[in-house]
Amino acid sequence: MQKLEELYTGKAKSVFRTDDPDRFIMVFRNDTSAFDGKKVAQLERKGMVNNRFNAFIMEKLAAAGIPTHFERVLSDNEALVKKLEMLPLECVVRNYAAGSICRRYGLEEGMVLNPPTFELFLKSDALGDPMCNEYHVHSFGWATEEQIARMKELTFRINDVLQPLFLAGNMLLVDYKLEFGLFNGELMLGDEFSPDGCRIWDKDTREKLDKDRFRQDLGNVVEAYEEVGRRLGVSFA
Ligand code: ADP
Ligand code: UDP
């Protein structure tokens, strides 16, 4: 597999073309950003940790029958993935209230959301990722009704796989963001699943073990990500 030119530099990852027209290489960088890119930092080891973490989760999901873009880890910081036509959406699942939902609706952090809530956001840095509903997505042509239904179905199946996995490590999977794309017309999970895109709390102490450590200047960010991985059984280099 030959790595060709860089096609896209995101806030935390870069995407490279390969000699296979259907495959991209995703590079997990040490860059970290929050608040729409207003707060940035370099965190040593984060790229490697997120790459290994993501591979572990993607493999668990694939084993449970969830279609994903993930193919294999290529190096500490690189993964081979299917080239997807990404839908411009972020699907957020919330099992407990935290972050923007508390600010928006005045909910107390930690409130159990039963059933879990599903939200859609337009992926647009320029517009600040505005929340949108299914009618917006459909009417504005961002995805078809069928694709919306499939994203919801896969999202809740993913929740059914991941919630017990984290619970077995004495952790609460509070919320997370997923991105989907199309490969030969088939909708599948793309992007990444790592502590950069979710909230994870220790079940007993409610200690934050995710990117909120960076957002809120709590320190030991990558150490917390590794702790989550260790509890799940991820092996890091
Ligand atoms: P952002 O774009 O939010 O700054 P990243 O730094 O994570 O995010 O960049 C990764 C980019 O690659 C994202 O825009 C994501 O939608 C895109 N992407 C993820 N998986 C794939 C894939 N399989 N094929 C094409 N693009 C992908
Ligand atoms: N999230 C993400 N990328 C985004 C927006 C949100 O990964 O662009 C994740 C975030 O880490 C959290 C969940 O989605 O796990 C819900 O985020 P929320 O809407 O509460 O936003 P925040 O409080 O982070 O602004």
Side-chain angles (χ1 to χ4, degrees):
M1 181 64 53
Q2 222 190 322
K3 188 173 174 184
L4 302 176
E5 80 273 14
E6 185 167 349
L7 289 179
Y8 178 78
T9 311
K11 294 187 286 296
K13 302 192 292 299
S14 303
V15 177
F16 287 77
R17 207 162 65 80
T18 71
D19 53 354
D20 179 341
D22 287 333
R23 301 286 180 279
F24 279 163
I25 291 175
M26 224 164 61
V27 177
F28 290 75
R29 307 195 314 270
N30 288 341
D31 300 298
T32 303
S33 82
F35 310 121
D36 286 330
K38 287 194 254 311
K39 178 172 177 167
V40 293
Q42 282 269 320
L43 299 175
E44 215 169 310
R45 290 169 57 79
K46 196 205 68 155
M48 179 278 291
V49 168
N50 278 2
N51 187 31
R52 304 266 171 208
F53 194 107
N54 174 63
F56 178 89
I57 297 285
M58 289 283 171
E59 278 166 4
K60 288 279 179 210
L61 295 176
I66 310 280
T68 90
H69 71 153
F70 178 78
E71 300 252 306
R72 62 191 155 93
V73 162
L74 295 175
S75 73
D76 270 359
N77 291 58
E78 297 169 309
L80 185 69
V81 299
K82 290 187 180 68
K83 172 187 172 180
L84 300 187
E85 195 188 312
M86 298 302 289
L87 299 178
L89 299 167
E90 300 189 337
C91 297
V92 170
V93 189
R94 301 177 190 268
N95 295 309
Y96 297 85
S100 71
I101 205 173
C102 294
R103 298 191 291 275
R104 205 178 319 126
Y105 301 111
L107 304 181
E108 195 181 329
E109 185 179 83
M111 177 184 163
V112 178
L113 302 178
N114 187 19
T117 288
F118 176 84
E119 294 173 337
L120 287 159
F121 296 85
L122 174 67
K123 193 172 156 64
S124 164
D125 285 337
L127 298 175
D129 294 349
M131 190 162 79
C132 51
N133 69 29
E134 293 179 23
Y135 277 87
H136 297 143
V137 173
H138 185 204
S139 307
F140 304 161
W142 295 330
T144 65
E145 261 182 313
E146 204 183 17
Q147 288 164 348
I148 298 166
R150 182 73 172 148
M151 280 191 290
K152 262 175 28 179
E153 183 213 330
L154 289 178
T155 295
F156 284 112
R157 277 173 57 195
I158 290 168
N159 206 34
D160 289 343
V161 175
L162 296 186
Q163 263 202 306
L165 190 75
F166 281 83
L167 209 49
N170 206 43
M171 294 174 284
L172 301 178
L173 181 56
V174 172
D175 60 28
Y176 52 95
K177 181 264 299 175
L178 302 174
E179 291 181 28
F180 293 91
L182 302 171
F183 185 71
N184 296 330
E186 188 196 349
L187 195 130
M188 56 181 70
L189 179 65
D191 205 47
E192 71 177 301
F193 190 101
S194 79
D196 262 0
C198 56
R199 289 194 169 90
I200 302 155
W201 296 344
D202 179 86
K203 182 168 171 283
D204 300 326
T205 65
R206 304 255 161 159
E207 185 188 3
K208 295 175 183 4
L209 301 170
D210 53 68
K211 199 159 95 177
D212 272 349
R213 299 200 70 83
F214 173 68
R215 295 189 188 97
Q216 299 173 10
D217 292 318
L218 300 175
N220 294 328
V221 180
V222 178
E223 289 80 357
Y225 289 17
E226 284 178 295
E227 167 66 10
V228 175
R230 195 186 56 72
R231 292 194 200 184
L232 295 176
V234 183
S235 55
F236 298 113

